[in-house]
Amino acid sequence: MATALERTSDRAAERIELALGGMTCASCATRIEKRLNKLEGVSASVNYASEEAAVTFDPGLVSVEDLIGAVEAAGYHATPAQEGADEVDPARVWLLRLVAAAVLSVPVAVLTWATQLQFSGWRWLSLGLTAPVVLVAGWPFHRAAAAGARHLVATMDTLISLGTLAALTWSTVVLAAGIHEGVYFDAAGLITALILLGRYLEARAKRRSGEALRKLLELGAREARVLRDGQEVLVAVEQLRVGDLFVVRPGEKVATDGVVESGASAVDASILTGESVPVDVRPGDRVAGATINVSGRLVVRATGVGADTALAQIARLVGQAQAGKAPVQRLADRVSGVFVPVVIVLSLLTLAGWLLAGASAAAAFTAAVAVIVIACPCALGLATPTALMVGTGRGAQLGIVIKGPEMLEQTRQVTTVVLDKTGTVTSGRMAVSSVVAADGVEEAELLRLAAGAEHASEHPIARAIADHGRARLGELPETESFVNQAGLGVQAVLDGHGVLVGRAAFLEEWSVSLPAALAGAADRLEAGGDTVVAVAWDGVARGVIAVSDQLKPSSAEAIAELKALGLRPVLLTGDNERAAATIAARIGIDRVLAGVLPDGKASEIRRLQEAGEVVAMVGDGVNDAPALAQADLGLAIGTGTDVAIEASDLTLVSGDLRAAADAIRLARRTLQTIKGNLFWAFAYNVAAIPLAISGVLDPIIAAAAMSFSSVFVVSNSLRLRRFRSGRENT
């Protein structure tokens, strides 16, 4: 999972994922995490569910060997994640031990409970059958307990080892010495078998919880048809390099990220975006690796390979999110860290209490063993990571990348969703809808100079005007000088003319006003929802150009879904208030922040926060990045820029705004599952331990209940795999 070693860009730190071995409970994870974090320059987070440690460290202070050594010194094993990727399935190992334990322990239980089947040497036979169960099948528990004892640390394995060895030892001594007391061979064997059953089911369920990410990583193409000297050459995808031209035939997977050089087709990107409808692509359009070419032949130029592809980046982000810890997990970590020593003390007090109360040694021993066996912090340790693994994995399947667990709480608290207009609510593909020239001005000349001035700008409106001018007039005049004032307009010199293109307010800064006829035309166009820019040269207003941006078909439905979640949508745009209000009304938004310059977006978010709102921001552009970072929850449209995606907490790989509602619903559902898991894990121990102390619970029932608690938590998390997005229902 993720890369074995990844250098961060902003500091001389490195990140490594360590695959861990030997962990058998949540307290093991806590112990490894503490040991790693004691190293100077190290920040580590251990995930018990995935059996991995995410470690950020200063290579000048510690090495990878030091990290592995620290884990081994704690009594466990560690390897860089990629090197340990082909280890034997833990569930299979537990299954083999379980089968052996069941075959041997069930006959002992039958002999113990069915008195009519007992014969003179049945207790000695029970000893012969039980000893291999406890000592061989249950060896992982004793080995881990011994390793903990060497480091003066008690873990869940300590409890299991103490409970089963105590039952076996007691029974053996009673049998060998001829003491008239009950024996507990059945308890020792069945406890071991039941705990092995729990570990097997837990391991199998944990593996299922990470299936989504594993499947995502397996989706990439294995080979590519590279064009070399005009011939198609089949090569392994690992041999692709940036700049290579490769062919994608109908029905084949796109080998890696790239830009279409020639050909036209429809591409099924559902594995990345969750969208079931193929997207049309033509020369100049980007395509992502692992997507499927549905129809025509494409020639693609590779722009990203290996770890730089969209698929790899999604997998890396999801892996990092799974390795993190939500705030609600911290209490569970603290509890599991001290839980085992407390249980051992409680067991000893139970033994002493029963004996002081005049109970028989057998009754006191039974209650003490039940206390040891019933107590299990594993469910606490599994509560958060399993839900995170399933939730983030399901999100990745739906084109939703949750960057970290910390933001789960924020989705519950959000009250307001601020939506950037261009590229988020609208398609972002601006097109010129009207050109109105002043009296005495040729429309072609107006468009020629306006398009020439805007040609040097990257703003969507500027590109729309430049493209329209080029399409109608051919070559555009070269600018002799150019100045862009973000969110206002541009000034340029073309063919000896000083040209201004931008808002009416921008022209007024240059003492240029629109005549009544042009002002009236601009009002009419804006009333229809168009964005209008004014054009002037040589100090005189010459005309206006209207640009429109089509609403995304799903925007109105997305707004309705956000409202259904109890959120208040707000439209944020640089457009004038009238045009913005028209668009907002079409999709059901009743609050608009219009006329906001790019550098004012973050200030608007801050103003809402100061008014007591908990704000989510949805955007896609470079100028949205400060607002995304300022918001309590940032959601970046994945079709946007890398800067916006980097500043966000959630990335919506598709451009469908409904994914924003899906993301918030999924995050809330994941948080709800985590809290439900923690509640049941705590409630189980709070209720079960007093019952064990009072002697109500038999050790065998305690073992079954303990195993069930962990399996219940993991199974509850797996329900997140059935989460359905609103897009799947249409």
Side-chain angles (χ1 to χ4, degrees):
M1 178 187 296
T3 55
L5 192 62
E6 174 188 326
R7 177 174 293 278
T8 57
S9 59
D10 57 342
R11 56 182 179 180
E14 290 183 356
R15 177 184 171 88
I16 188 172
E17 301 279 345
L18 293 177
L20 303 174
M23 286 199 306
T24 53
C25 70
S27 54
C28 296
T30 302
R31 180 178 166 198
I32 295 173
E33 186 170 292
K34 286 182 178 178
R35 182 62 66 100
L36 286 171
N37 283 323
K38 284 181 180 178
L39 298 176
E40 187 177 0
V42 171
S43 174
S45 176
V46 175
N47 188 324
Y48 171 52
S50 64
E51 297 185 344
E52 288 192 336
V55 187
T56 303
F57 65 100
D58 184 342
L61 298 175
V62 293
S63 65
V64 174
E65 290 72 22
D66 294 330
L67 299 174
I68 293 174
V71 175
E72 292 178 344
Y76 304 91
H77 310 294
T79 57
Q82 286 182 334
E83 293 178 22
D86 297 325
E87 292 179 356
V88 177
D89 181 5
R92 181 174 176 79
V93 177
W94 287 118
L95 179 61
L96 293 174
R97 292 184 177 276
L98 168 62
V99 171
V103 168
L104 295 175
S105 60
V106 169
V108 175
V110 171
L111 282 172
T112 303
W113 301 340
T115 56
Q116 66 272 22
L117 298 178
Q118 294 175 357
F119 51 90
S120 59
W122 74 271
R123 290 190 174 188
W124 288 102
L125 176 61
S126 296
L127 171 60
L129 293 174
T130 303
V133 173
V134 174
L135 301 177
V136 180
W139 174 244
F141 308 130
H142 310 309
R143 181 182 58 202
R150 285 197 301 271
H151 296 87
L152 301 178
V153 173
T155 68
M156 186 58 214
D157 298 297
T158 306
L159 299 182
I160 297 170
S161 181
L162 282 175
T164 55
L165 287 176
L168 178 63
T169 303
W170 166 279
S171 302
T172 303
V173 170
V174 165
L175 179 60
I179 301 171
H180 295 291
E181 289 285 358
V183 292
Y184 294 94
F185 293 121
D186 60 327
L190 287 177
I191 287 171
T192 302
L194 285 167
I195 293 173
L196 287 170
L197 172 62
R199 292 294 168 85
Y200 163 67
L201 294 174
E202 180 184 306
R204 192 177 69 169
K206 285 195 309 187
R207 185 167 182 82
R208 288 175 64 198
S209 70
E211 274 181 2
L213 183 58
R214 283 194 298 274
K215 288 180 178 177
L216 189 68
L217 290 168
E218 293 168 359
L219 287 174
R222 297 286 182 265
E223 296 177 317
R225 302 179 187 277
V226 179
L227 281 179
R228 290 180 179 160
D229 299 324
Q231 299 296 316
E232 295 182 18
V233 180
L234 197 63
V235 302
V237 73
E238 292 81 10
Q239 297 177 20
L240 274 175
R241 298 291 179 266
V242 172
D244 282 350
L245 286 174
F246 61 93
V247 174
V248 190
R249 296 175 179 174
E252 292 183 339
K253 289 182 179 179
V254 178
T256 194
D257 293 5
V259 175
V260 177
E261 290 286 316
S262 64
S265 181
V267 172
D268 179 357
S270 59
I271 61 169
L272 294 181
T273 66
E275 302 285 347
S276 58
V277 180
V279 178
D280 291 332
V281 295
R282 57 184 61 85
D285 289 340
R286 292 184 174 274
V287 290
T291 56
I292 299 173
N293 180 20
V294 175
S295 50
R297 179 180 183 272
L298 296 174
V299 177
V300 180
R301 185 175 299 279
T303 58
V305 296
D308 295 327
T309 64
L311 180 65
Q313 290 169 358
I314 289 172
R316 183 163 61 248
L317 288 171
V318 173
Q320 290 173 6
Q322 292 181 349
K325 291 190 177 181
V328 292
Q329 177 67 15
R330 293 171 188 157
L331 176 60
D333 285 346
R334 288 197 296 271
V335 170
S336 63
V338 300
F339 193 78
V340 174
V342 170
V343 168
I344 293 173
V345 171
L346 283 175
S347 178
L348 293 173
L349 290 175
T350 299
L351 179 66
W354 276 72
L355 291 174
L356 290 174
S360 67
F365 176 79
T366 300
V369 170
V371 170
I372 287 178
V373 174
I374 195 70
C376 176
C378 296
L380 290 175
L382 289 167
T384 295
T386 53
L388 271 178
M389 289 175 71
V390 181
T392 54
R394 180 60 180 144
Q397 291 177 327
L398 297 172
I400 300 166
V401 181
I402 301 174
K403 281 197 174 179
E406 298 81 6
M407 48 65 56
L408 296 178
E409 286 280 0
Q410 295 291 50
T411 62
R412 182 178 61 84
Q413 299 167 359
V414 166
T415 59
T416 300
V417 178
V418 175
L419 304 148
D420 175 60
K421 180 181 77 79
T422 304
T424 302
V425 171
T426 64
S427 65
R429 297 188 183 94
M430 309 291 283
V432 172
S433 56
S434 298
V435 178
V436 180
D439 291 341
V441 177
E442 291 288 335
E443 182 180 308
E445 181 67 3
L446 173 70
L447 183 58
R448 190 179 76 88
L449 291 178
E454 294 281 41
H455 177 64
S457 174
E458 288 299 315
H459 193 281
I461 292 177
R463 287 201 301 270
I465 294 173
D467 290 345
H468 187 72
R470 192 182 299 108
R472 280 192 55 186
L473 306 172
E475 288 297 317
L476 299 174
E478 292 290 331
T479 56
E480 298 170 30
S481 67
F482 173 84
V483 177
N484 177 50
Q485 294 194 24
L488 293 173
V490 301
Q491 57 187 97
V493 175
L494 299 90
D495 293 347
H497 298 290
V499 181
L500 301 173
V501 184
R503 303 182 185 204
F506 174 63
L507 269 63
E508 287 174 359
E509 291 181 5
W510 293 82
S511 301
V512 176
S513 299
L514 292 179
L518 288 180
D523 286 343
R524 287 192 302 274
L525 292 167
E526 287 177 352
D530 288 352
T531 299
V532 178
V533 296
V535 183
W537 62 80
D538 299 336
V540 179
R542 310 288 182 168
V544 293
I545 299 176
V547 178
S548 62
D549 185 5
Q550 297 299 310
L551 286 170
K552 291 180 179 178
S554 60
S555 289
E557 185 180 340
I559 299 304
E561 290 182 13
L562 290 171
K563 287 182 175 180
L565 290 170
L567 305 173
R568 183 182 185 187
V570 177
L571 186 66
L572 179 66
T573 177
D575 288 352
N576 66 80
E577 194 158 343
R578 185 184 301 176
T582 301
I583 290 174
R586 290 179 187 170
I587 55 176
I589 295 179
D590 55 14
R591 185 175 181 185
V592 177
L593 299 175
V596 180
L597 301 181
D599 57 2
K601 291 183 178 181
S603 298
E604 291 294 337
I605 300 295
R606 192 179 303 112
R607 190 172 294 112
L608 289 169
Q609 290 169 327
E610 290 171 351
E613 302 284 351
V614 179
V615 182
M617 168 72 187
V618 187
D620 74 319
V622 172
N623 56 30
D624 295 327
L628 288 167
Q630 174 64 40
D632 298 288
L633 180 70
L635 295 89
I637 296 290
T639 51
T641 65
D642 291 341
V643 177
I645 293 170
E646 187 64 30
S648 68
D649 302 303
L650 285 163
T651 299
L652 313 177
V653 181
S654 77
D656 192 330
L657 188 58
R658 289 177 297 178
D662 289 339
I664 292 174
R665 283 197 303 116
L666 176 60
R668 286 180 174 180
R669 184 81 58 82
T670 303
L671 179 64
Q672 182 181 0
T673 301
I674 290 172
K675 290 186 172 181
N677 286 347
L678 288 171
F679 169 78
W680 286 112
F682 275 116
Y684 161 81
N685 282 306
V686 168
I689 291 177
L691 291 175
I693 291 173
S694 64
V696 173
L697 284 180
D698 180 271
I700 295 174
I701 297 175
M706 183 269 283
S707 298
F708 171 77
S709 68
S710 294
V711 175
F712 171 81
V713 163
V714 179
S715 300
N716 188 47
S717 298
L718 288 172
R719 291 168 59 234
L720 286 167
R721 300 202 310 176
R722 298 198 295 268
F723 175 88
R724 291 184 64 81
S725 76
R727 293 166 289 157
E728 289 180 315
N729 298 326
T730 58

